[in-house]
Amino acid sequence: MQPTGSAVRATLGLAAGLAAAALVLAASAGAQPPPRALPGLAPAAADGLSRALAAGRLSEAEYALERARSLFRLGRVRREFGDVERPGGRDATLILRDLAVRLDDLRGAERRLAEAILARPTDGKVPEGTHAYKAGTVSRYTCGADMCFHWVETTADAPDLNDTTPADGIPDWVGNVQATWEHVWAKEIDEYHYRPPLDDSASAQTDGPSGADLGKLDVYVVNLGQDPIVAFGYCAALEDGFTTPVYCVVDDDYAEFLGQEPEAFLQVTSAHEFHHASQAAYDFWEDAWFIEGTATNIEETVYPDVDDNVNFLRIWSPLTRPGSPLDRGGFGDSEYGAWIFWRYLEEKVGGTEILRQIWLRARGDSYSLKATRKELAERGSAFPDTFVRFAVTNRRRGYEDLSGAGYPAPPLAARHRIGRGRPEIGWRSKRINHLASQTVAFLPRGRVARDARLRIRVEQPSYANGARVAVMVVRENGSRFTSYPRPNRNGVVSRLAGFGRGSVKRVELVLANGSTRTRCWRDFVSPVFSCFGKPRDDRRLFRYRARIVD
């Protein structure tokens, strides 16, 4: 996760990233990956590291090591590779995962450095200047039923040692961290029934000087607000399998982060990072939009009054960029903005249970989009039908949290004014990528008859492959009526909609490409999509026209 204030950095950097001809995070050229390929590298900008990877000067494992090293020693990495992007703090979990799963491909000094970066803060091997507690510093810990919390009493990593509530030898901030994480455990595990984090007692990195915390999730309080790493928190894999125990790290006070109160930052960070710890009990190799999108969504579920995640909706999301594929993972924070889709499923389709079931289905040789499609089918809904309703809900901003959170409004792709002087709009066309949509509006112009109606015709791509259409009539009184017409045998949709003067404000036509067809494990070039696949139905042509019928 990343602090709200860094949204400015992400927005400014976006233009440069998009200007690149391609974001060249590529896997080894020419090799056909096995059915269960390693997870693709975390999305990143085209920079010195990605160019070195593309040119063959770095292997994937070496790239993962340097990207992880840039979390903590950015200056050193820049001196060697030039213009290396500063990692966003929200990227740390996936960057460290990438290194963990490629650890066996490193040798010698590189292997030792990677192990040190992945080690717990209390491990004496961890290089200073990373998340390690300073060498020689004595750490303390306290344990509950399921988790242990670690801190130090000296150096910059020490939290405020004020101990008043109650005076039990545990600093108030550490007690607050423990109470928050235990609340999150009660919600995500006991109430929502997600899998608990895996037991780490068999891990080579077991941390328990007295053995009291064996098997429990360890959470370390570290100063994450100091340069070079500026992060809310993260979890690091302890093993290289697609399921793995983890340990997690949170900040010592959140005083350096702007935009929310420290307590609010602690709350949503805890919900988000704990969800990563639970995800690692299902499949930590999953797609970025699934891992980060569901973790960002659960912030809203556990702490609905904290709206830090709304910032991602403004950067890159189906609300601000409906024409961008929903499952895009790449520079621009799209994998975080995708949380609104999981919010839609939770609010409109199946509550927290549907997301838990999707995680169950996504294990092993499945993947995010396939699991979602199967779960919706089990509930009697085709994915494209759900997707077009999702697009309509976005246009209406029909979410429970809308009133206080300030969700952005999805833009219109076109506006057409129709009236007596111009009663018809000739054929227009839009090409739409997979899991994307565009909306066009028809507005009454001049003196339109009170009983006028609008005839809309759409020539759409294959309905069987996911093309869908919705027609929404927006009345002057603010009410809306939405229909979802199906095409005839020739793939043509025809719909009459009210358009009378004084009663209808506009008619909106939503064109949605809900295709989930993809060739998996083919494309590791950023941005990446579900199962690192090549979508089969991008740039599908929709044609539409409209005319007034009195």
Side-chain angles (χ1 to χ4, degrees), residues 67-388:
R67 189 65 77 183
R69 194 158 65 109
S70 72
L71 284 168
F72 309 109
R73 292 188 171 184
L74 181 61
R76 290 192 180 186
V77 179
R78 281 177 170 171
R79 285 194 292 272
E80 185 173 350
F81 293 95
D83 60 330
V84 174
E85 176 76 6
R86 176 184 290 275
R90 64 190 177 277
D91 300 332
T93 295
L94 290 187
I95 287 174
L96 294 175
R97 178 205 66 177
D98 292 348
L99 180 58
V101 301
R102 293 170 174 83
L103 190 62
D104 285 345
D105 293 330
L106 296 171
R107 297 290 183 272
E110 289 183 332
R111 170 68 180 249
R112 290 190 294 274
L113 176 59
E115 290 175 340
I117 289 175
L118 292 169
R120 303 168 185 265
T122 48
D123 193 314
K125 297 184 301 182
V126 184
E128 292 185 19
T130 65
H131 57 232
Y133 294 145
K134 188 173 181 178
T137 304
V138 177
S139 64
R140 298 188 59 194
Y141 70 97
T142 181
C143 296
D146 304 295
M147 296 177 284
C148 292
F149 302 85
H150 304 252
W151 76 98
V152 293
E153 295 181 337
T154 60
T155 75
D157 289 316
D160 186 336
L161 299 179
N162 191 45
D163 175 18
T164 60
T165 54
D168 54 2
I170 300 172
D172 292 345
W173 180 255
V174 176
N176 190 16
V177 170
Q178 180 173 1
T180 302
W181 280 69
E182 288 179 346
H183 171 75
V184 169
W185 182 294
K187 298 294 286 186
E188 298 189 23
I189 306 303
D190 299 336
E191 183 175 341
Y192 309 148
H193 306 298
Y194 283 100
R195 288 188 170 182
L198 292 182
D199 184 325
D200 69 356
S201 58
S203 169
Q205 288 200 45
T206 296
D207 185 7
S210 69
D213 66 341
L214 290 181
K216 298 178 181 180
L217 175 66
D218 292 291
V219 180
Y220 297 86
V221 176
V222 176
N223 186 358
L224 297 178
Q226 61 181 338
D227 198 56
I229 184 170
V230 180
F232 274 5
Y234 53 89
C235 293
L238 291 168
E239 298 173 4
D240 61 0
F242 67 86
T243 61
T244 175
V246 302
Y247 69 84
C248 299
V249 179
V250 296
D251 191 55
D252 65 335
D253 59 10
Y254 292 105
E256 298 91 347
F257 302 105
L258 304 177
Q260 304 274 0
E261 292 298 318
E263 181 69 18
F265 282 143
L266 173 62
Q267 289 174 344
V268 294
T269 299
S270 302
H272 185 113
E273 298 305 329
F274 181 83
H275 203 54
H276 283 327
S278 176
Q279 290 168 350
Y282 292 93
D283 188 347
F284 216 34
W285 292 16
E286 258 298 341
D287 300 317
W289 80 287
F290 186 39
I291 284 180
E292 295 296 357
T294 55
T296 305
N297 172 70
I298 211 163
E299 299 174 27
E300 186 69 32
T301 305
V302 178
Y303 291 106
D305 294 332
V306 183
D307 295 319
D308 186 67
N309 56 0
V310 175
N311 291 289
F312 294 116
L313 298 182
R314 302 187 182 109
I315 297 171
W316 193 309
S317 75
L319 294 184
T320 52
R321 298 173 180 266
S324 177
L326 169 66
D327 63 339
R328 179 187 187 276
F331 188 59
D333 292 331
S334 53
E335 62 268 27
Y336 293 86
W339 75 267
I340 196 63
F341 176 71
W342 308 112
R343 172 64 22 190
Y344 173 83
L345 293 186
E346 183 173 322
E347 285 190 10
K348 311 298 182 184
V349 182
T352 57
E353 173 67 13
I354 189 172
L355 303 189
R356 187 179 69 85
Q357 289 295 332
I358 291 171
W359 267 105
L360 280 171
R361 291 181 182 276
R363 299 182 69 244
D365 62 356
S366 187
Y367 63 93
S368 59
L369 201 54
K370 181 179 180 181
T372 305
R373 186 175 66 240
K374 285 188 173 182
E375 180 61 25
L376 289 171
E378 184 72 18
R379 294 166 180 265
S381 178
F383 187 99
D385 295 334
T386 299
F387 184 75
V388 70

Side-chain angles (χ1 to χ4, degrees), residues 10-59:
T11 303
L12 293 176
L14 183 59
L18 293 177
L23 299 181
V24 288
L25 234 78
S28 302
Q32 181 68 29
R36 183 55 172 172
L38 289 177
L41 297 163
D47 64 1
L49 285 180
S50 56
R51 287 191 292 272
L53 173 64
R57 289 185 284 117
L58 288 176
S59 68

